[in-house]
Amino acid sequence: MSRFRSIWQASLNATKKALTWNLEDLMPPPERLIFSFNSKEELKKWHLYSDSEYGGLSSASLEISEVDNGLKGTGVFSGNLSVDLAEDSKWNISRGGFCGMRSKKFDGFIDLDSYDTIALKLRGDGRSYISTIYTENWVNSPGQLEDNSWQAFVHVPKDNWYIAKIPLARYLPTWRGNVINAEMEMNQARILGISLSVNAEGGVPGARTGTGDFKVELDWIKAIRTEEYT
């Protein structure tokens, strides 16, 4: 009987170890890299937009920084914000002074349901930038091609590298730049793309505002989990 009990106990312990290993193996990692900005190839995953598409005079560029001693580069999103219109503009826009960089659509979508925070490693100019997450359309205009957008401000301190952490719960649903005044929940399992943009006006208190130059460097964007995964 003692021998049988020993065999049974050994089998039970082995089963517990197997179950523990399987659970750890299936648990998502604590962070997930979404984008890095360390090469020209990585920058090709993004496209630029600005009010110049509607007759405005703002401009933007996205380039890789110059580095020495074998260090990796970073993405540099920079340009000039203007609220003026071109003299020959045929558009009658009510709001100018904006530029942005948006990721090209993923091949399908990415699932961030296991994460609660977006983290960005940045070095900026003291301005507020807008972090936008695009999800599959089921909130604003079902049946149309326009993605749902969720936005949050991120203040980028001047000169020093900074890791901004934005809880996904802080992103607000928006419709063409305006916050939707309703309680809605982001579909984190179907993320189609993200963007980073800057406006001449608005932002968090104390941030630099107004027309003129802007510049922010980007090292990476990740999804992280700050709470215990269940």
Side-chain angles (χ1 to χ4, degrees), residues 35 41-48 101-108 134 147 191-195:
F35 286 107
E41 288 301 312
E42 290 296 312
L43 299 192
K44 291 180 181 179
K45 298 177 181 179
W46 297 80
H47 65 83
L48 298 168
M101 49 181 283
R102 176 170 175 169
S103 66
K104 296 176 182 178
K105 281 198 174 184
F106 303 125
D107 184 13
Y134 301 95
D147 304 329
I191 307 295
L192 300 176
I194 61 179
S195 74

Side-chain angles (χ1 to χ4, degrees), residues 12-13 34 36 48 58 65-66 69 73 75 80 86 96 101 114 121 126 141 143 149 153 167 183 190 192-193 219 221:
L12 180 61
N13 290 339
I34 303 176
S36 63
L48 298 168
S58 298
S65 64
E66 295 183 4
N69 301 321
N80 186 272
M101 49 181 283
S114 302
K121 186 175 180 181
S141 51
S149 59
F153 280 116
E183 290 189 8
R190 302 185 76 85
L192 300 176
D219 192 353
I221 300 175

Side-chain angles (χ1 to χ4, degrees), residues 4-220:
F4 172 79
R5 183 173 296 169
S6 297
I7 294 174
W8 176 81
Q9 187 64 46
S11 176
L12 180 61
N13 290 339
T15 300
K16 287 181 177 179
K17 288 182 180 179
L19 288 173
T20 301
W21 181 86
N22 287 334
L23 287 173
E24 291 176 350
D25 187 54
L26 293 173
M27 182 177 293
E31 63 179 41
R32 174 176 178 176
L33 179 67
I34 303 176
F35 286 107
S36 63
F37 298 88
N38 56 11
S39 70
K40 291 182 179 180
E41 288 301 312
E42 290 296 312
L43 299 192
K44 291 180 181 179
K45 298 177 181 179
W46 297 80
H47 65 83
L48 298 168
Y49 63 90
S50 71
D51 58 34
S52 63
E53 300 173 23
Y54 309 98
L57 295 177
S58 298
S59 60
S61 66
L62 179 61
E63 301 173 328
I64 199 78
S65 64
E66 295 183 4
V67 293
D68 296 318
N69 301 321
L71 298 175
K72 67 176 183 177
T74 54
V76 181
F77 174 48
S78 62
N80 186 272
L81 297 171
S82 172
V83 294
D84 297 326
L85 293 177
E87 294 182 359
D88 58 349
S89 174
K90 299 178 182 179
W91 295 86
N92 183 21
I93 59 175
S94 58
R95 183 179 59 185
F98 65 87
C99 294
M101 49 181 283
R102 176 170 175 169
S103 66
K104 296 176 182 178
K105 281 198 174 184
F106 303 125
D107 184 13
F109 57 86
I110 62 172
D111 184 351
L112 298 183
D113 209 27
S114 302
Y115 302 92
D116 56 56
T117 300
I118 294 294
L120 308 92
K121 186 175 180 181
L122 309 155
R123 178 163 63 182
D125 53 6
R127 287 185 181 271
S128 277
Y129 289 78
I130 301 171
S131 173
T132 304
I133 296 175
Y134 301 95
T135 61
E136 189 175 59
N137 188 346
W138 62 280
V139 172
N140 295 337
S141 51
Q144 297 185 25
L145 297 177
E146 192 164 352
D147 304 329
N148 292 151
S149 59
W150 308 77
Q151 297 185 325
F153 280 116
V154 52
H155 180 206
V156 186
K158 188 176 181 180
D159 297 334
N160 296 321
W161 282 103
Y162 169 72
I163 296 178
K165 296 180 180 180
I166 312 172
L168 285 166
R170 193 191 300 170
Y171 284 83
L172 300 176
T174 62
W175 172 249
R176 297 181 180 177
N178 296 310
V179 174
I180 299 173
N181 188 22
E183 290 189 8
M184 299 177 182
E185 185 176 354
M186 181 192 298
N187 187 356
Q188 295 179 202
R190 302 185 76 85
I191 307 295
L192 300 176
I194 61 179
S195 74
L196 189 72
S197 58
V198 59
N199 293 339
E201 304 299 334
V204 301
R208 176 188 164 199
T209 61
T211 58
D213 294 342
F214 70 88
K215 178 182 178 181
V216 61
E217 291 182 71
L218 303 103
D219 192 353
W220 46 254

